[in-house]
Amino acid sequence: MKDIGFIGVGQAGGNIVQLFEQEGYPAMYINTSKEDLNILKDSKYVYHITNGEGANKDRDKAKKLVIDDYDNIAAMVDKVMDCEILFVVFSSGGGTGSGTGPMLIDLMLDENRKVGAVTILPTSDESVKTKYNSYECFRELLSLDKMASLFILDNSKADKFYINNRFVQMFDNYVHIPDNYSSQRGNIDDAEIKETLLTHGMSCIYSAGNTNMAALAKSIFSDIYAPIEGDKVKYIALAADESISSFEELHKAVGVPYDEFRTYTDNDCILMLAGLNYPLSRLDEIHNDVLSGKDIIINNTTVSRQDLKDDFDFVKKSPGAMPRAEPQSKRDIMAKYLKR
């Protein structure tokens, strides 16, 4: 689908978007780090943010760099990303992606672009700074009322490279449903694919071999995404064989949708849930982890003055002690050498 494009911001975003580019999707990469961009050897459209030397997990530093360079960034996006729908892809816990991802989305939404996001949650054993960045990133993301679908990958679920590959493959399977499956009993067309991708809220895509609805409903809660919460879902789209004839088990798991789209396959199963609640409980866990690390933050980010003991008065009073020389300016010291 050439009308769906991906912009990778930061290293983690670049890793995922490169997989999409290999599948034939329009792709662009933005980073403050030249070193990260240099890894993308076969990628055509890479942009190094002016004066960027990496953000070292400093969200504010990354924001200032993008603000100063946004006109150039926007010009390149306009030039190379002629897509109906754009997804900005980034890690919520880093510096460049976390700091600038939400801001870039907001700026592009203001230009009347259709923009969604793919972002990544940190694991429980990552640093307090990473979790702090993630929570602050989501504070900004959740305020973007016009944003399209938000896919939230959770690194606590599996190896991150497995997660990246699985997500890209499932997304690609979903958008190609109209090309790969058709049935007299019902079809899912391109317009319905786009409608789900443009739906505000959290979205999830699942892809598996032949399965029953009960097993599929159960797998939703153990896959690569942030946990699904509540019973709010706007759209359900399903491509599966005729053995899945009822959505009852799925409704019990995620709720009754506003609308459902259905087509039939021989043995594949592809499911899209769009317009879900955001994973507030998972974000609360991150918030609590940051609060638990309060002492670490205070102790390790505040430099206090430390003085050595001063109890050598007996040396100063000693008759044989050398008199302390008067301090000299650097110019006086350099002048001494010039006179030689």
Side-chain angles (χ1 to χ4, degrees):
M1 242 189 196
K2 297 296 183 183
D3 46 0
I4 300 175
F6 296 87
I7 300 175
V9 187
Q11 184 179 30
N15 289 341
I16 295 174
V17 170
Q18 191 168 46
L19 297 174
F20 276 112
E21 186 175 20
Q22 291 167 1
E23 295 292 336
Y25 292 85
M28 176 180 165
Y29 307 84
I30 301 171
N31 210 317
T32 58
S33 168
K34 286 183 179 179
E35 290 77 13
D36 289 347
L37 291 173
N38 289 339
I39 296 173
L40 307 169
K41 297 186 183 301
D42 298 324
S43 299
K44 187 175 181 181
Y45 300 116
V46 297
Y47 186 84
H48 176 242
I49 298 170
T50 302
N51 297 322
E53 297 179 344
N56 53 290
K57 293 189 179 179
D58 187 332
R59 300 181 75 246
D60 290 336
K61 177 181 178 181
K63 288 177 183 179
K64 291 173 184 176
L65 289 168
V66 166
I67 289 170
D68 291 342
D69 202 27
Y70 181 70
D71 288 344
N72 293 324
I73 296 170
M76 185 167 179
V77 172
D78 289 340
K79 180 180 179 181
V80 306
M81 300 299 289
D82 184 20
C83 306
E84 183 179 349
I85 307 172
L86 284 177
F87 283 93
V88 181
V89 187
F90 53 93
S91 167
S92 67
T96 301
S98 173
T100 66
M103 182 173 64
L104 286 170
I105 294 169
D106 203 0
L107 288 165
M108 288 190 286
L109 289 172
D110 189 59
E111 296 166 357
N112 293 317
R113 281 185 172 273
K114 299 173 182 177
V115 189
V118 180
T119 192
I120 307 161
L121 289 172
T123 63
S124 60
D125 59 356
E126 292 192 60
S127 70
V128 176
K129 178 66 178 292
T130 299
K131 294 173 184 175
Y132 170 80
N133 283 350
S134 179
Y135 195 82
E136 290 301 300
C137 179
F138 270 90
R139 189 195 302 278
E140 295 167 356
L141 277 176
L142 270 55
S143 71
L144 301 177
D145 296 331
K146 296 180 181 179
M147 184 173 65
S149 285
L150 174 60
F151 293 92
I152 306 174
L153 310 181
D154 193 339
N155 273 353
S156 68
K157 294 294 187 70
D159 173 77
K160 63 182 179 181
F161 295 109
Y162 168 82
I163 290 173
N164 294 352
N165 281 280
R166 178 159 171 74
F167 172 69
V168 171
Q169 193 57 58
M170 291 192 295
F171 188 101
D172 188 59
N173 288 345
Y174 177 65
V175 299
H176 283 102
I177 284 176
D179 302 321
N180 296 331
Y181 309 104
S182 62
S183 171
Q184 292 182 339
R185 297 184 62 184
N187 288 302
I188 296 174
D189 59 31
D190 285 336
E192 291 164 337
I193 296 290
K194 292 176 183 177
E195 178 69 18
T196 56
L197 293 176
L198 290 172
T199 300
H200 182 69
M202 188 173 85
S203 290
C204 301
I205 297 171
Y206 305 88
S207 180
N210 191 18
T211 187
N212 59 63
M213 182 57 81
L216 180 61
K218 183 178 180 180
S219 71
I220 288 171
F221 298 97
S222 60
D223 215 301
I224 62 174
Y225 304 100
I228 293 175
E229 298 182 9
D231 58 357
K232 176 182 177 293
V233 57
K234 186 172 183 180
Y235 293 120
I236 294 176
L238 177 67
D241 69 23
E242 295 183 1
S243 67
I244 298 181
S245 58
S246 170
F247 282 64
E248 183 178 355
E249 292 293 334
L250 192 57
H251 292 167
K252 290 178 182 177
V254 300
V256 178
Y258 170 69
D259 202 0
E260 296 172 340
F261 309 123
R262 177 72 202 263
T263 192
Y264 294 83
T265 71
D266 292 332
N267 52 25
D268 297 323
C269 181
I270 304 169
L271 171 68
M272 164 66 155
L273 305 174
L276 298 162
N277 289 321
Y278 291 124
L280 297 185
S281 294
R282 179 70 172 86
L283 295 174
D284 279 345
E285 289 178 10
I286 295 173
H287 175 265
N288 292 336
D289 283 349
V290 175
L291 287 182
S292 297
K294 180 179 177 181
D295 290 341
I296 295 174
I297 296 171
I298 293 173
N299 292 337
N300 294 352
T301 61
T302 304
V303 179
S304 57
R305 177 172 174 171
Q306 294 174 292
D307 295 319
L308 295 178
K309 297 175 181 177
D310 185 14
D311 53 1
F312 292 161
D313 289 345
F314 64 92
V315 176
K316 298 174 186 177
K317 296 176 181 178
S318 174
M322 293 290 291
R324 182 172 296 180
E326 292 295 324
Q328 301 180 73
S329 70
K330 287 184 172 60
R331 186 176 298 276
D332 290 337
I333 295 172
M334 288 187 289
K336 179 176 66 174
Y337 285 90
L338 289 173
K339 290 175 183 177
R340 289 181 177 177

